[in-house]
Amino acid sequence: MSKRRVVPVVAWVVALVILATACKSAKTGAPAATPTGGTFTVESQEPGSLDPPLASGSEDLRVVHELFDGLILYDDKTAAVTPGVATSWAPNADNTKFTFHLRSGTKFSNGEDVTAESFVRGMTRSLTPKFYNDPNGLGYHLDGVLGAAAVSKGVTTTLTGAVAKDKTTLEVDLSAPDAEFVVRTGHMPFLPIPSDAAMAAQKPSWSENPIGNGPFKMKEAWVHQQSITLVPNPTYYGTKPKVDQVVYKIFPDQDTSYLQWQAGNLDWTRIPPAKIPEGKAQNPGNYIIQDVGGINYLSTRYTLAPTSNKLFDQAISLSFDRQAISNAVFSGLNTPAAGIVPPLIPGSQSKGTSGPCKYCTYDPARAKALFKQFTDGGGTVKEPFPMYFNAGAGHDAWMQAIANQIQTTLGFKVQAIAATAQFTGAESYSKFIGKDAPASANRFGWSLDYPTPDNFLYPLFSTGSADNKSQYSNPAFDALIKQARAEPDATKRVKIYQQAEDIVLEDLPIIPVWWRTQIRLAKLNKWGGLGMDPYEDPAVRTVYLKAASS
Amino acid sequence: MTRYIVRRLLQMVLVFFGATFLLFAALYLLPGDPTQALGSDRTLAPATVQAIRARYHLDDPVYVQYATYIKDIARGDLGTSIQLRRPVSQIMRDSIPWSVKLALSATAVEIILGIGSGVISAIKRYSFLDTLSTVSTSVLIAIPVFWLGLMLQILFGLKFRGTFLGLPISGVTDGWKSYVLPSITLASAVTAVTARLTRTTMLEVMRQDYVRTASAKGLSRRAVVFKHALRNALIPVVTNIGLDFGTLIGGAILTETVYAWPGVGRQVYFAIIAHDNPVIIGSTIVFVFAFMVVNLIVDISYAVLDPRIRYV
């Protein structure tokens, strides 16, 4: 009996060992990775749209950026403007007309020629009411083009301001001077679009399977909630990508993708905030930390007491320790901001933690002195002073910390309040985002659309702008922005934007907190030429498989 | 029989209206404005907000919205997802096959493990194997699905990675291997019930006279257990498994989310987070339908399995 039992057990063990070794030898027997080619796998979430005029989300942008080349491109490292399809461009004397000279003979991935007409088509399409009135529509970036309003209101389908003079010459007329217009033209709503017939021919549809003129093209239609696969575009005019394909794997959340990274199945991924210390410790040399083009700030109402008094705003700004809170909540990842235009943006006055803001350090004594000046002048604070933030986005800990520190330093009650987007009532998101916002300091963030100081100053602080949440209005500031936009000389223009930034930093309608800093796990031991671009995405145009990686 | 089926189908229509109206009312009684969530940090222009409200009939009273909705469903139009910006019917067409496939393979796990351990427990009553199966199924019922999912991922996806026990963690791109962990996770709770039900009914049947007769006339134990006892004991078990199938299609929200499975359950999860009412209602309609259809099939199959049951 006992003998009989032993035999099957031995047989099982032998079988398992054979199976195990068989699997192993099958693995080592596979051809070793070649020094070029390879599949670069990127963690992603479901994009909103791959159609350029609607590609407003971060997941949308990163794919469309590789599928299309605009008139200009932004450098992966410095965010500087470099030639794209346009090799040169020139404004007229007062920056109201721009002439672009295009490369001849460049093609879409379906073989169709990319001409000035393709760009006119793209711009006009972005302005049509269908796209312009979409909540994710990016057509508003074209508002400055002559005749844009007529197209966006549906009056006409001809954009008078954009004219294809011939195949390689594009002229754009603006309704007001804008010296930085060229910088905008790398953005989504300016991208070239192939003919209607080519769009209609796409299976299953254009928006599932767009045709671009960029270094990559769609290998297959977007597999919703699973993956998007790009392969090099053989008709591309520029440097061909070195990888065989780029796969954006779509995950429901960052915990799932982090597991996949641990299993070795991803080359690039975000980390759930709570796992940042662990992710760094377990992947030495295989992560990238970088400041990107964005700022997190507290917006204070400029039109209501007490935040209308700059002494109060300055006192608040000086009364909390940005670095200590970053260390405690983000393991030091976020860099304290002492300006509005992020260091990455050409023309920024900030570098690391130093910058033009005179009230962005931690100085309790000065904060108390300024607050005393405020109360001596008759200023009062209704307690508790509210600080709103959007719930469920990881802002709880640091907003609470800032509220506590202001309360400790200045001696009045401060309350951090989580507001939800979905519900109405006292804690509603619209309550602090809208026109009826109370006198409070509220969390907001702003990331670049295009790398220029104007993109951080005009939308946030010019009188009447929809994104001017503090309802700031300063004629001196508005005049400087207008002056800068009309200034043809780049160096002088930057100086004017810096003056405008200084004005804002004295009034403090917003209180700078941190520059947007990002961390990504990236297999730097396996891939060369890999960096994080200004849009927080992997530089897949240059990435290559390192030789002799095991 | 035909009359019975017709009556059941008519009842299904009532259930359908009841379920969709309750859901509709519940969702729209919640205060809140989906247009706000769409803008994120950017303020939407009033014209844009107006366009969205008009497109989704947000300014009409609830009953008008419901009537519009039912009219559209009749045409096969489930509306457009606010978040994913695709027709809900298209989203459902993409995700239903994945949910059905997962439910089928989970049912296979349920049948093999549940009935297998139930039969063993019954014929080896009070043995070590019986206790083991009772205890382990109790533990399985007690473990929350998402936790089991995470543990299996860590064990088979990370610890055993590279060995023959290594399995894919998530997604559906690895062929049959992709199914292993999600199926076990999804089947975990229902398997325990099946195992117990099989054990009890087997024990009951084994005590019947005809089983004793079969043994007495000299049949082998195998023939007695499988040909005579199990076949009869399976009737309630099959019913139970059939009903479970409906639960598995609709109840896979946690499993599908943990394993990034592109099925209906995952759609529901994201739709709830994003306040995406068209998708929530669309998926619930799918669940309601799955339940009703499976129920009907199970009821009809009674008659087929047991000739003594007649419907009039």
Side-chain angles (χ1 to χ4, degrees):
Chain A
M1 187 72 188
S2 63
K3 216 176 186 180
R4 259 187 169 182
R5 278 245 167 114
V6 171
V7 178
V9 173
V10 171
W12 269 110
V13 170
V14 171
L16 289 184
V17 168
I18 289 172
L19 206 66
T21 48
C23 287
K24 270 224 175 92
S25 61
K27 267 229 168 96
T28 46
T34 45
T36 55
T39 297
F40 187 75
T41 311
V42 183
E43 167 263 338
S44 177
Q45 291 178 6
E46 173 83 349
S49 174
L50 297 184
D51 199 358
L54 300 177
S56 62
S58 56
E59 313 300 296
D60 320 6
L61 277 164
R62 55 156 44 156
V63 178
V64 180
H65 263 305
E66 311 309 339
L67 292 175
F68 292 85
D69 263 16
L71 291 167
I72 57 137
L73 300 171
Y74 307 114
D75 187 89
D76 275 345
K77 287 201 185 74
T78 64
V81 170
T82 57
V85 176
T87 49
S88 65
W89 46 84
N92 64 353
D94 65 346
N95 287 313
T96 54
K97 186 190 202 79
F98 287 78
T99 308
F100 295 88
H101 300 284
L102 276 50
R103 288 169 211 270
S104 59
T106 70
K107 286 183 191 308
F108 287 101
S109 60
N110 66 346
E112 184 181 324
D113 286 336
V114 178
T115 63
E117 197 54 54
S118 319
F119 284 92
V120 173
R121 198 181 296 125
M123 290 162 72
T124 312
R125 184 167 178 268
S126 302
L127 280 166
T128 52
K130 182 186 166 201
F131 295 111
Y132 191 87
N133 286 331
D134 192 287
N136 296 321
L138 295 169
Y140 67 94
H141 289 283
L142 287 150
D143 282 347
V145 177
L146 196 68
V151 180
S152 67
K153 291 205 175 86
V155 178
T156 168
T157 53
T158 310
L159 181 59
T160 48
V163 179
K165 278 282 160 199
D166 55 54
K167 275 194 162 189
T168 59
T169 312
L170 173 70
E171 283 183 4
V172 181
D173 285 296
L174 306 180
S175 43
D178 182 3
E180 299 207 315
F181 177 73
V182 171
V183 187
R184 301 174 207 283
T185 60
H187 198 33
M188 302 284 119
F190 292 88
L191 293 175
I193 296 288
S195 66
D196 290 351
M199 288 174 75
Q202 279 307 91
K203 295 277 178 264
S205 72
W206 158 263
S207 55
E208 310 279 297
N209 195 2
I211 309 163
N213 63 332
F216 289 92
K217 62 170 190 168
M218 302 286 285
K219 182 189 182 188
E220 54 184 1
W222 174 5
V223 187
H224 282 281
Q225 294 172 310
Q226 291 188 46
S227 63
I228 293 169
T229 306
L230 308 184
V231 291
N233 170 10
T235 67
Y236 186 53
Y237 66 89
T239 316
K240 300 265 192 316
K242 298 178 182 74
V243 287
D244 286 339
Q245 58 179 5
V246 177
V247 178
Y248 297 89
K249 273 203 165 222
I250 300 168
F251 293 97
D253 56 52
Q254 293 182 13
D255 289 314
T256 316
S257 52
Y258 184 63
L259 271 174
Q260 287 285 15
W261 164 272
Q262 289 179 305
N265 300 333
L266 290 171
D267 296 306
W268 178 280
T269 185
R270 283 170 280 223
I271 321 178
K275 299 276 171 63
I276 290 174
E278 177 194 307
K280 280 164 74 176
Q282 289 179 356
N283 301 284
N286 280 329
Y287 59 85
I288 297 176
I289 294 178
Q290 198 167 302
D291 284 344
V292 292
I295 181 173
N296 287 313
Y297 59 90
L298 301 174
S299 175
T300 61
R301 274 293 297 274
Y302 188 70
T303 46
L304 288 176
T307 45
S308 53
N309 190 326
K310 67 179 179 186
L311 289 169
F312 180 79
D313 300 331
Q314 292 165 354
I316 285 187
S317 184
L318 285 164
S319 64
F320 61 94
D321 190 340
R322 292 164 175 79
Q323 188 67 58
I325 296 172
S326 168
N327 291 348
V329 182
F330 299 101
S331 25
L333 196 65
N334 286 338
T335 313
I340 288 158
V341 180
L344 178 82
I345 306 299
S348 167
Q349 306 187 71
S350 299
K351 199 168 184 198
T353 58
S354 67
C357 177
K358 294 189 225 99
Y359 310 96
C360 295
T361 50
Y362 177 52
D363 191 340
R366 240 179 102 207
K368 280 180 190 136
L370 285 165
F371 188 63
K372 188 163 182 302
Q373 223 178 310
F374 164 73
T375 48
D376 287 351
T380 53
V381 185
K382 192 168 162 269
E383 293 180 83
F385 179 73
M387 290 173 61
Y388 289 99
F389 60 95
N390 45 326
H395 302 309
D396 307 60
W398 66 269
M399 282 296 285
Q400 193 61 55
I402 291 180
N404 289 346
Q405 289 201 356
I406 295 174
Q407 181 167 331
T408 310
T409 309
L410 299 180
F412 58 87
K413 276 209 178 68
V414 184
Q415 194 183 9
I417 302 168
T420 53
Q422 286 92 345
F423 297 99
T424 49
E427 265 87 65
S428 89
Y429 187 67
S430 51
K431 186 106 184 170
F432 78 80
I433 206 173
K435 286 252 179 293
D436 311 323
S440 51
N442 309 323
R443 185 219 76 87
F444 283 104
W446 189 259
S447 289
L448 84 165
D449 298 308
Y450 20 81
T452 139
D454 188 280
N455 191 221
F456 284 81
L457 296 171
Y458 175 78
L460 297 183
F461 306 109
S462 66
T463 306
S465 157
D467 288 307
N468 182 351
K469 301 283 169 27
S470 61
Q471 297 171 35
Y472 180 67
S473 177
N474 186 334
F477 172 86
D478 290 342
L480 280 172
I481 295 293
K482 211 172 163 196
Q483 191 192 335
R485 287 186 160 192
E487 173 58 56
D489 183 88
T491 325
K492 282 189 199 152
R493 188 164 65 237
V494 162
K495 280 272 175 314
I496 304 169
Y497 277 124
Q498 292 179 347
Q499 283 174 33
E501 186 182 13
D502 291 342
I503 288 182
V504 172
L505 287 171
E506 181 62 26
D507 291 345
L508 283 190
I510 71 163
I511 295 168
V513 182
W514 288 306
W515 300 126
R516 243 177 106 77
T517 308
Q518 294 291 309
I519 179 169
R520 295 289 182 274
L521 293 173
K523 281 192 189 152
L524 298 172
N525 56 350
K526 183 178 172 192
W527 301 95
L530 180 56
M532 197 193 308
D533 70 18
Y535 294 90
E536 310 170 12
D537 297 325
V540 295
R541 291 178 182 225
T542 52
V543 72
Y544 62 89
L545 202 54
K546 282 183 183 171
S549 73
S550 57
Chain B
M1 188 69 174
T2 320
R3 261 182 70 192
Y4 173 75
I5 293 176
V6 170
R7 207 168 66 218
R8 284 295 302 268
L9 287 174
L10 287 175
Q11 281 172 3
M12 276 168 71
V13 174
L14 275 182
V15 172
F16 173 78
F17 274 107
T20 50
F21 187 76
L22 274 181
L23 187 75
F24 210 85
L27 283 175
Y28 286 88
L29 282 177
L30 275 181
D33 185 350
T35 56
Q36 281 294 348
L38 282 173
S40 141
D41 272 0
R42 187 159 72 83
T43 309
L44 297 177
T48 308
V49 173
Q50 205 123 59
I52 302 167
R53 296 196 69 88
R55 192 195 302 169
Y56 296 108
H57 304 282
L58 292 177
D59 290 322
D60 295 339
V62 173
Y63 61 89
V64 175
Q65 293 188 32
Y66 181 69
T68 316
Y69 189 71
I70 292 295
K71 212 167 69 197
D72 287 346
I73 292 178
R75 292 200 219 106
D77 178 4
L78 290 170
T80 306
S81 160
I82 297 175
Q83 197 73 15
L84 297 170
R85 319 163 63 80
R86 300 170 60 209
V88 175
S89 55
Q90 204 182 329
I91 296 175
M92 290 299 132
R93 239 196 336 268
D94 285 355
S95 39
I96 289 172
W98 289 111
S99 281
V100 172
K101 281 191 237 174
L102 182 60
L104 282 175
S105 71
T107 306
V109 172
E110 182 188 3
I111 289 171
I112 295 167
L113 293 184
I115 297 184
S117 72
V119 169
I120 292 171
S121 297
I123 58 179
K124 306 235 179 205
R125 199 175 172 196
Y126 303 136
S127 70
F128 170 71
L129 277 175
D130 182 20
T131 321
L132 180 72
S133 122
T134 314
V135 170
S136 59
T137 49
S138 301
V139 171
L140 221 51
I141 288 187
I143 295 177
V145 168
F146 68 92
W147 189 82
L148 177 68
L150 289 172
M151 290 305 119
L152 290 178
Q153 283 179 325
I154 291 171
L155 193 63
F156 290 95
L158 299 183
K159 298 278 183 239
F160 292 150
R161 183 158 68 93
T163 73
F164 67 100
L165 278 175
L167 286 165
I169 294 171
S170 62
V172 291
T173 46
D174 297 282
W176 65 270
K177 281 187 173 177
S178 303
Y179 285 84
V180 179
L181 295 183
S183 305
I184 292 173
T185 309
L186 184 56
S188 65
V190 288
T191 302
V193 177
T194 305
R196 291 186 175 197
L197 192 62
T198 311
R199 180 177 182 272
T200 334
T201 52
M202 270 300 276
L203 285 174
E204 227 166 78
V205 170
M206 293 290 276
R207 278 198 298 269
Q208 302 270 324
D209 287 345
Y210 77 90
V211 174
R212 203 178 325 131
T213 311
S215 298
K217 74 179 181 189
L219 284 181
S220 70
R221 181 145 175 85
R222 173 177 298 194
V224 171
V225 170
F226 288 101
K227 279 202 174 146
H228 293 261
L230 184 60
R231 200 161 163 192
N232 274 293
L234 274 187
I235 293 177
V237 177
V238 167
T239 314
N240 182 58
I241 290 176
L243 292 177
D244 278 347
F245 187 71
T247 318
L248 290 180
I249 289 182
I253 296 181
L254 291 174
T255 307
E256 289 186 359
T257 307
V258 168
Y259 289 102
W261 195 266
V264 185
R266 194 177 130 188
Q267 301 294 357
V268 173
Y269 173 78
F270 284 107
I272 291 171
I273 286 182
H275 240 231
D276 195 347
N277 290 354
V279 177
I280 300 178
I281 298 175
S283 350
T284 312
I285 287 175
V286 169
F287 293 159
V288 170
F289 248 98
F291 251 94
M292 291 193 304
V293 170
V294 168
N295 251 306
L296 181 64
I297 293 173
V298 168
D299 284 352
I300 294 170
S301 72
Y302 273 142
V304 179
L305 281 176
D306 188 341
R308 285 168 300 181
I309 300 173
R310 286 272 170 274
Y311 292 115
V312 276

